[in-house]
Amino acid sequence: MWNFAVAVFLVELYGNSLLLTAVYGLVVAGSVLLLGAIIGDWVDRNPRLKVAQTSLLVQNSCVIVCGILLMVVFQFREQLVELYNGWILTTCYILVITIANIANLASTATSITIQRDWVVVVAGQDSSKLADMNATVRIIDQLTNILAPMLVGQIMAFGSHFVGCGFISGWNLCSMCLEYALLWKVYQKTPALAVKAGQKEQQQELKQLSPTRGSYENLVFDLYNLRANKHRALWWSLESFGFRKDADCKSFCFYPFPDLENGQSPEESSQPLMNETSVVTKSDSPKQHGCCYQATEPLRTFKAGWVAYYNQNIFFAGMSLAFLYMTVLGFDCITTGYAYTQGLNGSVLSLLMGASAVSGICGTVAFTWVRKKCGLIRTGFISGMAQLSCLMLCVVSVFAPGSPFDLSVSPFQDLYTHLIGEKTLPEADHSLTSVLTGLNATTAAPAEELPPLQSYMSVSLLFAGVIAARVGLWSFDLTVTQLIQENVIESERGVINGVQNSMNYLLDLLHFIMVILAPNPEAFGLLVIISVSFVAMGHIMYFGFAFKSLGSRLFLCCSPEQKEETVDSPSLPTTV
């Protein structure tokens, strides 16, 4: 609801201009691109309930504050324009965009912790249950994306933008309380949510390393193995056993307690068994880091997150999903604007958006059915081929009758005109056409300058391909989502999904830049071809991942249950 309304409010505030909306989109995309890994790392480091509650409160509080601020701006806009030459109003614009961006970052954290982490824990080890839950969450998300804008649009149409802001603020206040209560109920009914994987492993390994008996040398040697496994959370609890990290966090200082073998607790011991000459590391005590080191901690987290994402075995699967964002073939402002230039009105567009939503829901339902029949990895391959086949209709629409595609018109014509302020290229084209048509000039020539659209075949093929491709798109999205959920370890689930969101926003930014460079309708056909090419490259990367995982079995459409039976049956006689 808020994502739809904030764009409308910003357009209305700046005199029906898209400037504030474009700035807001750029700020949101840039923020997630830079902070996605850091947000994911914060999700991994903190308890699940704390993350969910904090992100939920920050998101809804920012929306409420932003709604109240917009109400003030709409109510006293004329007075604010006159104060300090409009600087007060400009400050309000900056505050609205900043607060809305914080709300979007909190929404990203909520999405990571609920849809990428909680769902996996609630489903347990049941892959089919996880697939059903992912599909159900996606259907709910699609339905809300349809119904919420319709509700807000009706309120603003029959009321005003002031009333719309007040309604959204009140709605988020009520929904925040309801969501908070539902999260707490789910948390209570699922005890596994209380402990993360890092904490479970920490407790088990500390029990194994308890030095009640045996050699301290073996205990020290085990610590190196723990460090190799990068159990950061375990380091903190090891201090209670007398271990300290060195300044570079590369090894451990060993200060065990002398009376520990006699049954005395670590807290009751006071003197080290080994002196400083027998410690593992060279440093005698941990070194306090300076302000510069702490200030650069987000940069190290950013780098570590991207390196961890690159080292995942599902790296190419995640990249393939990100490449699908580099497209103009979606129901966003770009496709809507192009449809208006082709003669489609708002009523037709609303019907097309409804058909697109139904197609997306069919894709989520098809995902669960195909996954049960063919397996998860094959489902992604089948979904990708289905999407790419449907997008071929969009390529055909570029050359169909009624298409404005014209390679003789420079795709950078409008950009050159706005930057230079001259119309050298268009004047040359018009002079050429006037010379060619001057031989048969008549009084009816002015009426032929803007000819009506002769055929709707091109735009019909375009939207038919876009709507049909939603089935494969959403099924493929769910496939990659579940692959990340099942193959990423629990302690890195947040940071990997944060980097995945950053990759998605990066490719989304590139597609907006592509439209800015070639905004005229004559170049839209070229953007369609580039978009289909990026989608094809994404599915080629997924094919490489799938073939590496299954080999030639990728082309055998057998159910996972049949595969398990064939693998397990020969081993039964050998196990006693």
Side-chain angles (χ1 to χ4, degrees), residues 311-326:
N311 292 329
Q312 297 294 320
N313 58 349
I314 44 88
F315 169 72
F316 284 105
M319 286 294 296
S320 64
L321 178 62
F323 266 61
L324 302 189
Y325 283 77
M326 178 64 179

Side-chain angles (χ1 to χ4, degrees), residues 252-279:
F252 291 90
C253 302
F254 188 37
Y255 299 95
F257 304 95
D259 297 329
L260 201 57
E261 294 184 355
N262 298 327
Q264 195 174 4
S265 63
E267 291 78 3
E268 297 172 352
S269 302
S270 59
Q271 296 178 355
L273 180 66
M274 296 182 181
N275 53 24
E276 287 76 9
T277 59
S278 60
V279 296

